[in-house]
Amino acid sequence: MSARDNVLEPGTVIRPIIDQEAVKLLAERLYGLTVLELTELSGYDDKNFKIIEDPNMKNPLIPKHCEYGYVLKIMNSMDSQNREVVEAQNEIMNFLNARSIVCPKPIRNVYGHLYSVETIGGKKHAVRLLEYVPGEILCDVPKSEALFYQIGEFLANLDSKLQNFNHSGLVNREHMWMLTKVPELEKFKYAIKDADKLDLVEEVIEEFKYAVVPRLDELEKGVIHGDFNEMNIVVGLKPGGSQTDYRITGILDFGDIQHSYYVFEIAIAMTYMMLISGDPRTGGIVLAGYTVTRRLPDDEYRLLKTLVSSRLVQSLVLGAYTTEQDPSNTYLLSTEKANGWELLRKIRKTKPNPEGDPTDWKTIANEYLTRS
């Protein structure tokens, strides 16, 4: 199967269909876990379950138990077809754990493997067990400029570490959440029913085609996380700090790892941080943290507005499409609920004012660094 065959098409159902009793049986059969507590976690097209095992049951399969519990991850049927991608996700977590980046750690199953492929609901899904990473999720804690700056710093450090990671499974990987797939949103835009919103969507897609696509060969590439958002960033209170002094402690969800462009990585992170703050200027604070340790060439700065707009459109269009297909899957509505359309209009329509251009992120970053 070619990578090109592994891109979402309208009408395809790829999310696992499984109930909690079946999850418990799966955990016991594959990992010898006696489940005491089971909680479903949020996810877009995978299913994730937090497991607390019965401490009274000895499990020789897992000699060193994780005191915080585990996550049983059942991958969607599309990604499960690409075994090399599954292996790359496991390897990248082990690679980062060995380099002082806190992230989930894969656990071997009864067969000694880091994953297995199981038939669930008539489809084949890759199943893995990961150690649960303790802490709070960024979306649940008070935000501050200092935290947004730190997000940029953490991401730059992550990308610098990943410069030394390569895996054949990522070289030709394609999926609809890659920014390079923005032109293919044409197939899903029918899910946007409002004419003004549709005009915005079409404007951004066309801009991506003429401003970004011809330049791709000039941009610096490497392995990126690809989805550095508020649901995937773990934080904790700084020791000795106040009750609002949070620091980033870890990173989750490597489902979107890809060999792609570093400017895409920072644009995606800026997009999600602006969404949770509601202020386009936040992008400049994130950029400040990132560029302290990772230089961004001037010609890549100039693409940021198009790339941020494109990520918003990607999330809004695929969110509307997914909800139409599966009304119970509310994961992607977070962008719409976080005023994604309003942010998109601010970025596209706001004119410079006496306080400056809120999308001149390079200037905002420089001012923040000077002020700090």
Side-chain angles (χ1 to χ4, degrees), residues 63-351:
K64 185 184 176 186
H65 292 269
C66 179
E67 62 180 302
Y68 304 106
Y70 302 90
V71 174
L72 189 79
K73 191 171 188 70
I74 307 173
M75 289 179 70
N76 67 80
S77 58
M78 182 171 288
D79 285 339
S80 295
Q81 294 174 49
N82 193 335
R83 309 292 168 83
E84 277 202 303
V85 170
V86 183
E87 289 163 6
Q89 290 179 22
N90 288 329
E91 287 186 28
I92 204 169
M93 286 185 277
N94 283 331
F95 176 90
L96 291 172
N97 269 303
R99 287 159 180 79
S100 303
I101 299 274
V102 175
C103 64
K105 185 178 179 182
I107 303 292
R108 294 190 182 277
N109 60 26
V110 293
Y111 310 107
H113 303 310
L114 293 176
Y115 75 97
S116 64
V117 177
E118 308 294 328
T119 300
I120 299 167
K123 294 187 177 182
K124 294 191 178 299
H125 295 275
V127 177
R128 290 177 292 165
L129 189 71
L130 308 174
E131 289 188 354
Y132 183 81
V133 176
E136 295 186 75
I137 303 301
L138 178 67
C139 62
D140 296 331
V141 305
K143 317 302 182 293
S144 65
E145 283 193 346
L147 192 53
F148 288 128
Y149 175 81
Q150 195 188 135
I151 282 160
E153 272 189 317
F154 186 96
L155 185 59
N157 180 41
L158 181 71
D159 284 347
S160 294
K161 294 254 170 65
L162 288 178
Q163 278 185 300
N164 299 311
F165 180 85
N166 291 293
H167 195 284
S168 58
L170 302 181
V171 175
N172 296 313
R173 187 186 186 195
E174 294 190 33
H175 64 82
M176 270 310 297
W177 280 100
M178 289 180 165
L179 270 176
T180 48
K181 292 293 168 191
V182 165
E184 295 194 31
L185 292 174
E186 295 277 2
K187 294 184 290 191
F188 300 91
K189 69 182 185 184
Y190 71 86
I192 305 299
K193 311 302 182 187
D194 180 279
D196 290 338
K197 290 177 179 177
L198 187 58
D199 284 345
L200 260 180
V201 165
E202 291 173 338
E203 173 188 301
V204 171
I205 293 173
E206 287 307 308
E207 186 173 292
F208 186 93
K209 286 179 185 175
Y210 72 72
V212 179
V213 172
R215 306 279 310 284
L216 290 176
D217 288 344
E218 305 163 23
L219 307 178
E220 187 183 0
K221 292 188 80 171
V223 173
I224 65 171
H225 180 272
D227 194 22
F228 204 71
N229 69 50
E230 73 282 7
M231 305 289 285
N232 293 336
I233 300 169
V234 183
V235 298
L237 283 171
K238 188 176 180 181
S242 70
Q243 288 303 301
T244 58
D245 195 2
Y246 284 91
R247 61 187 179 91
I248 300 172
T249 56
I251 176 71
L252 307 174
D253 194 353
F254 292 85
D256 286 342
I257 55 169
Q258 56 197 265
H259 191 263
S260 190
Y261 307 93
Y262 291 116
V263 68
F264 286 13
E265 181 92 295
I266 181 60
I268 289 166
M270 288 167 61
T271 302
Y272 288 116
M273 296 312 112
M274 287 186 276
L275 269 171
I276 60 175
S277 74
D279 182 1
R281 295 180 62 83
T282 299
I285 312 300
V286 177
L287 188 64
Y290 190 84
T291 52
V292 161
T293 52
R294 283 193 66 83
R295 187 182 146 282
L296 201 62
D298 284 343
D299 56 341
E300 296 191 12
Y301 273 115
R302 287 191 280 272
L303 296 179
L304 282 175
K305 191 168 181 177
T306 303
L307 293 173
V308 167
S309 301
S310 297
R311 185 54 165 199
L312 280 169
V313 162
Q314 194 172 37
S315 188
L316 290 162
V317 169
L318 291 178
Y321 161 76
T322 301
T323 305
E324 189 173 280
Q325 294 292 307
D326 179 8
S328 67
N329 187 355
T330 58
Y331 181 82
L332 272 183
L333 287 181
S334 57
T335 298
E336 189 159 18
K337 288 175 182 172
N339 301 314
W341 291 108
E342 184 182 339
L343 178 62
L344 183 60
R345 289 190 187 96
K346 281 181 184 175
I347 290 170
R348 306 297 298 177
K349 309 295 183 186
T350 300
K351 301 286 187 266

